[in-house]
DNA sequence: TAGGTATGAATGAACG
DNA sequence: CGTTCATTCATACCTA
């Protein structure tokens, strides 16, 4: 993709860059202040563990909270549950599991749900790569 | 300036930030490459020279994807439609929406249908998590 | 510092 | 429609 541009077009591009840069910065500022307000007003519960995957760019960096990760105790319990039954637990089960795991560290129901989903995907992936050896 | 925002609005803001950040970065990239090209003059582009810079760069991004994902422009339009009426549109409506969105990137009617289905599920899920027990 | 891996989370698509 | 699956993304962590 090769292009030829006039000085005028370049100039337009410059203005677009400036405009979007300002917009980005302002949006980031607004977003940050809203997050602060959210924490002030109701900063408890599972939202605390939520971590945004928002991308960072040169000029606009936002400090994000770390994402949830199971403590060793939580991990053992989850692994044991998974070995017993690899299916994703029901909503009620997830509630119970979450309550149990909360004794070993901060956790939310969505964390449990995601963990089982990802754990299942991981075991499937492992199985796939294992069967590749047999027939290549 | 104190404002009260819903989770939903925060979410939209997040996507706007992402969109504008991408736009800014890609505009910068394009600008740099245009500067270079000015010096070694021209090759002939097989593509339209001066379409919307956003569209062009997004189109390239999309070309790499395996599954459909809305471009920032498409996302904004869809979000606006959803806010106006969160019900899944009729087949005829979906046709119209698809045609409109096609101007901002490749898309199929099924994509629109699925998007509305998933969007509704997402908002419901969000509402549920608000009523969860909170033990900080 | 630059790649590679593991994994929590987000989401398009599909199933029942 | 609600739920599940498959894929992708972003970050943390590791290694050279």
């Amino acid at each position: 993709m090769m292009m030829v541009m006039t000085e005028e077009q370049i100039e337009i591009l410059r203005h677009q860059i400036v405009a979007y840069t300002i917009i980005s910065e302002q949006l980031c500022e607004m977003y940050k202040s809203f997050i602060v307000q959210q924490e002030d007003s109701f900063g408890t519960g599972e939202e605390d563990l939520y971590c945004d995957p928002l991308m960072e760019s040169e000029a606009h960096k936002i400090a994000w909270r770390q994402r949830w990760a199971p403590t060793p105790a939580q991990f053992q319990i989850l692994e044991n549950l998974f070995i017993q039954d690899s299916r994703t637990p029901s909503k009620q089960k997830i509630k119970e599991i979450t309550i149990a795991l909360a004794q070993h560290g901060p956790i939310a129901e969505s964390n449990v749900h995601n963990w089982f989903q990802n754990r299942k995907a991981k075991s499937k992936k492992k199985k796939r790569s294992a069967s590749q050896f047999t027939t290549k």
Side-chain angles (χ1 to χ4, degrees), chain A residues 25-91:
Chain A
E25 287 171 347
Q26 292 179 341
L27 283 168
C28 285
E29 287 303 314
M30 290 174 68
Y31 180 68
K32 276 190 288 189
S33 63
F34 291 148
I35 288 298
V36 170
Q37 287 175 24
Q38 274 210 315
E39 286 174 347
D40 289 343
S41 52
F42 55 96
T44 62
E46 112 177 295
E47 289 300 318
D48 266 348
L49 298 167
Y50 182 67
C51 178
D52 264 337
L54 183 58
M55 64 176 296
E56 50 183 34
S57 76
E58 307 176 345
H60 330 96
K61 291 197 189 286
I62 298 176
W64 302 102
R65 287 165 291 186
Q66 303 239 329
R67 66 181 183 184
W68 170 83
T71 66
Q74 287 173 340
F75 180 78
Q76 273 308 310
I77 297 170
L78 286 168
E79 278 292 336
N80 289 338
L81 288 170
F82 182 80
I83 290 170
Q84 291 169 28
D85 184 0
S86 67
R87 292 171 304 181
T88 304
S90 67
K91 290 211 184 308

